[in-house]
Amino acid sequence: MTKETVLVAYGSKRGGTAEIAEWIGASLRADHISVAVKPAREVHSLSGFGAVVLGGALYSGRWHRDSRHFARRFTRQLREHPVWLFASGPLDDSTDAGTDGKAFGARAVHRTADRLGARGTAIFGGRLERTATGFPASAMAKSSAGDFRNRARIEAWAKDIATRLG
Ligand SMILES: Cc1cc2nc3c(=O)[nH]c(=O)nc-3n(C[C@H](O)[C@H](O)[C@H](O)COP(=O)(O)O)c2cc1C
């Protein structure tokens, strides 16, 4: 089992992706892995971390800017670490079969994964609360609100990471 801490870093606007990061962290901890879960913009160094899981919400066809910036800032180190990427987006169950489904923006995440030599990439469903404020989220919420984060699938993905770090 890896002795160094695994960093789970995320970019999230409305908290849904932050919670996915916490679920991944809890799942890794259950497999006796030391984990730190942090907003990507608050990470200033990768020293002390043995592996990185980097995630972000998808907005307007792009990965959250904190996740993009993190990948850019730490490109050199990330290429030398075991890295996994995830994104959370579609407000439907189209990713549940393990594909990108209707995720607009997933291709850019895969390109980043290639650049970093990531060991795995997953696209998960997203969440939009009915009470979301701000435009265009509030308008979207009228037709697309819901929680499409499949926790069982997310935990199975984290379990696979734990096995591969073991
Ligand atoms: C304004 C807006 C734009 C969005 N654009 C996309 C998109 O391009 N692709 C996608 O898959 N999901 C898109 N979504 C869905 C979000 O990715 C989803 O709500 C996600 O769970 C948000 O994560 P967060 O709560 O961490 O911010 C969009 C949602 C909103 C409100």
Side-chain angles (χ1 to χ4, degrees):
M1 197 55 69
T2 182
K3 293 209 173 52
E4 285 173 295
T5 300
V6 175
L7 172 66
V8 182
Y10 61 86
S12 174
K13 189 168 180 182
R14 294 190 164 80
T17 311
E19 199 173 30
I20 292 176
E22 294 292 350
W23 293 343
I24 291 169
S27 181
L28 294 174
R29 279 185 203 109
D31 276 318
H32 314 288
I33 292 173
S34 158
V35 183
V37 180
K38 290 173 182 281
R41 66 172 174 276
E42 291 178 13
V43 179
H44 304 295
S45 160
L46 296 188
S47 83
F49 296 118
V52 176
V53 180
L54 174 62
L58 294 171
Y59 279 96
S60 304
R62 305 185 83 180
W63 213 21
H64 193 286
R65 71 180 274 140
D66 293 352
S67 313
R68 286 186 277 121
H69 286 190
F70 184 103
R72 215 171 302 140
R73 278 190 289 138
F74 295 116
T75 297
R76 191 174 48 79
Q77 295 99 308
L78 289 170
R79 288 173 65 92
E80 291 162 3
H81 281 67
V83 174
W84 283 263
L85 305 185
F86 73 90
S88 168
L91 298 168
D92 56 37
D93 60 6
S94 63
T95 62
D96 272 358
T99 65
D100 293 350
K102 295 183 185 161
F104 178 42
R107 279 189 25 210
V109 179
H110 288 296
R111 275 198 298 274
T112 303
D114 288 346
R115 189 161 58 79
L116 300 178
R119 300 191 179 190
T121 305
I123 312 295
F124 300 124
R127 177 192 72 177
L128 183 61
E129 289 176 314
R130 200 175 39 79
T131 53
T133 54
F135 186 81
S138 57
M140 280 175 65
K142 290 200 173 73
S143 58
S144 308
D147 191 348
F148 299 93
R149 300 168 305 163
N150 181 333
R151 187 163 182 172
R153 189 178 151 230
I154 292 162
E155 288 176 349
W157 188 70
K159 183 98 195 156
D160 185 55
I161 293 175
T163 305
R164 291 168 71 181
L165 287 171

